[in-house]
Amino acid sequence: MAKGFREARVKRVGNLWQELTSIGNLMLAAKRAAAGKRARPDVARFLLDLETEVFQIRRELLDETYRPGPYRSFEITDPKPRLISAAPFRDRVVHHALTQVLQAVFERRFSSDSFACRTGFGTHAALAKAKAAMRKYPYVLKCDVRKYFASIDHAILNELLARAVKCRPTLGLASLIIEGSNPQEEVISYYPGDDLFTPFERRRGLPLGNQTSQFFANVYLNPLDQFLNRHHQAFPYVRYVDDFLLFGDSKIELQCARREIVRVLGGLRLDIHPRKSRVYRTREGVTFLGWRLYPEKIRLVRANVVRFRRKLRELQCGMAEGRMGWDEVNQRIRAWIAHAAHGDTWRLREQVFGQFAFRKGSAV
């Protein structure tokens, strides 16, 4: 572990391999990996011969011949440019099998202030906590980590896993997946004790798109959660992946907390984004998870509204041209309505839906 980081001793958990490689765990992993993707050719082929595929994966895991396949990478630009990496489907089954077992181990160690990719948490629970804190505190420190997934250090991540797990084959599989990550965006940063070559000698980066990457992202920032829970427990803290808010009674207090956060993140070889990490007056509002939060209201940020209008036009054209049915269109619209309903968006929803009509064979 990098210098400057200390973690309380917690009993490590062993004997996970039998559960991880059980047919039941692998079958459940295949089901979860296939959710919403059953029509894709690679998924359909796997499911067509499900038992044979699952038994083959199990055999490779048990005799330690399993090796991850190559990633398929593509770029997206909405909401911002990002490289997405898709692992072969059989590897995604293994990813789910691993995280299903590790999740139970780490759930007891995770902070209740971390809301991403956890059952019973999520964006809406994070927003609810942040909204309540906005009404009670005059100041909020908003931070996000600069190039987070590209900066995650493999050696540190493996050590954090080993602090909780003492099952050798389970740690070996986790390390195999971590070290098998495809090259990510180059991030060159120096930390205390580094020499000129250190940043180039350490492997970094996890691919966006992996189930394991989402889980490992929570593991990696758990030390920050625990630090803030110990040293700033009097004030609300909310983290969703690498975006987080810390509330307080004074600007000076939160500026001091910011310096402590920089130190703790430095021990993990991470940096906060210099332009996006500062103290705000809550009455002036703060942007978090695609919303603009104020003490008395919450609004969707404009970019999200523009993005949804664009999606509505695509759905309208898809239905008019016969490429989509009403059930699919209705499901997508209702999902957005359910999301938007968490803020003060009644007039916005009236305005948006007043502009669109959905009729078969009548694209506008």
Side-chain angles (χ1 to χ4, degrees):
M1 179 65 65
K3 292 181 180 179
F5 175 73
R6 296 289 184 272
E7 188 180 67
R9 283 286 178 185
V10 181
K11 187 176 180 181
R12 299 163 69 212
V13 178
N15 301 318
L16 300 173
W17 192 239
Q18 183 175 354
E19 179 186 356
L20 195 158
T21 58
S22 68
I23 294 300
N25 188 53
L26 290 169
M27 284 291 189
L28 178 60
K31 178 182 178 181
R32 288 177 171 171
K37 306 179 183 72
R38 290 176 175 269
R40 289 173 45 173
D42 58 334
V43 180
R45 283 194 299 270
F46 188 99
L47 296 179
L48 187 64
D49 203 8
L50 178 61
E51 288 190 4
T52 300
E53 294 283 2
V54 165
F55 274 93
Q56 178 61 31
I57 289 174
R58 183 173 187 268
R59 190 176 304 113
E60 292 177 17
L61 290 173
L62 291 175
D63 62 22
E64 299 185 359
T65 59
Y66 168 76
R67 295 293 181 272
Y71 285 92
R72 177 178 60 86
S73 297
F74 55 94
E75 290 188 355
I76 63 171
T77 57
D78 191 11
K80 61 182 180 180
R82 290 188 297 174
L83 177 70
I84 304 297
S85 300
F89 182 72
R90 72 190 311 265
D91 290 342
R92 297 202 293 276
V93 173
V94 175
H95 297 169
H96 278 269
L98 175 64
T99 56
Q100 284 165 185
V101 171
L102 290 183
Q103 189 74 45
V105 174
F106 278 90
E107 195 60 36
R108 297 190 296 270
R109 292 164 167 79
F110 284 155
S111 165
S112 60
D113 300 318
S114 170
F115 287 84
C117 307
R118 297 175 65 191
T119 302
F121 289 78
T123 56
H124 297 144
L127 285 168
K129 181 173 182 179
K131 285 193 292 184
M134 290 289 289
R135 291 192 290 267
K136 292 177 62 177
Y137 293 89
Y139 294 96
V140 57
L141 169 65
K142 172 181 164 56
C143 296
D144 78 356
V145 179
R146 176 178 171 266
K147 301 183 186 299
Y148 179 47
F149 280 86
S151 300
I152 291 176
D153 186 277
H154 292 188
I156 294 176
L157 176 55
N158 279 316
E159 184 175 344
L160 288 170
L161 292 169
R163 284 173 174 259
V165 176
K166 62 177 179 181
C167 178
R168 183 198 63 80
T170 300
L171 288 173
L173 177 60
S175 181
L176 186 67
I177 293 170
I178 293 166
E179 299 305 323
S181 300
N182 58 337
Q184 301 296 303
E185 180 182 2
E186 190 71 72
V187 181
I188 305 300
S189 297
Y190 289 87
Y191 302 92
D194 285 0
D195 60 30
L196 181 63
F197 302 102
T198 300
F200 305 95
E201 295 168 345
R202 302 183 69 99
R203 287 216 57 198
R204 299 176 303 281
L206 297 180
L208 286 171
N210 273 7
Q211 169 75 14
T212 45
S213 296
Q214 298 171 21
F215 174 75
F216 291 151
N218 273 346
V219 171
Y220 204 83
L221 279 181
N222 189 48
L224 174 66
D225 299 340
Q226 301 304 329
F227 174 83
L228 290 173
N229 289 164
R230 288 194 303 271
H231 296 281
H232 296 274
Q233 67 268 35
F235 300 108
Y237 164 63
V238 187
R239 178 173 69 82
Y240 196 93
V241 192
D242 61 320
D243 291 336
F244 53 94
L245 305 176
L246 178 66
F247 294 84
D249 289 323
S250 78
K251 188 173 184 178
I252 293 175
E253 181 179 55
L254 290 177
Q255 287 172 336
C256 291
R258 185 183 187 277
R259 289 192 289 271
E260 293 174 329
I261 289 168
V262 168
R263 178 181 60 81
V264 174
L265 290 179
L268 297 167
R269 302 187 68 83
L270 297 173
D271 300 302
I272 60 173
H273 198 293
R275 296 192 306 277
K276 299 179 182 178
S277 303
R278 69 180 186 88
V279 178
Y280 296 83
R281 291 181 183 272
T282 53
R283 69 170 184 249
E284 296 171 353
V286 65
T287 300
F288 185 57
L289 300 181
W291 294 84
R292 187 71 179 174
L293 279 59
Y294 298 90
E296 302 302 328
K297 60 185 177 181
I298 172 173
R299 305 290 195 197
L300 276 168
V301 298
R302 183 178 181 277
N304 281 357
V305 178
V306 170
R307 194 177 305 121
F308 183 65
R309 288 179 190 273
R310 188 184 310 131
K311 178 58 67 177
L312 279 177
R313 291 190 188 95
E314 292 173 3
L315 294 175
Q316 187 183 46
C317 290
M319 187 172 174
E321 295 168 4
R323 292 182 286 104
M324 303 178 71
W326 170 244
D327 287 345
E328 181 180 357
V329 171
N330 187 43
Q331 183 179 11
R332 295 193 187 187
I333 291 175
R334 286 186 176 277
W336 185 85
I337 291 173
H339 174 65
H342 285 267
D344 303 296
T345 59
W346 175 253
R347 289 184 180 177
L348 170 66
R349 282 178 275 157
E350 274 194 325
Q351 180 189 50
V352 169
F353 291 113
Q355 297 172 346
F356 292 88
F358 290 87
R359 299 184 183 89
K360 191 172 182 179
S362 60
V364 176

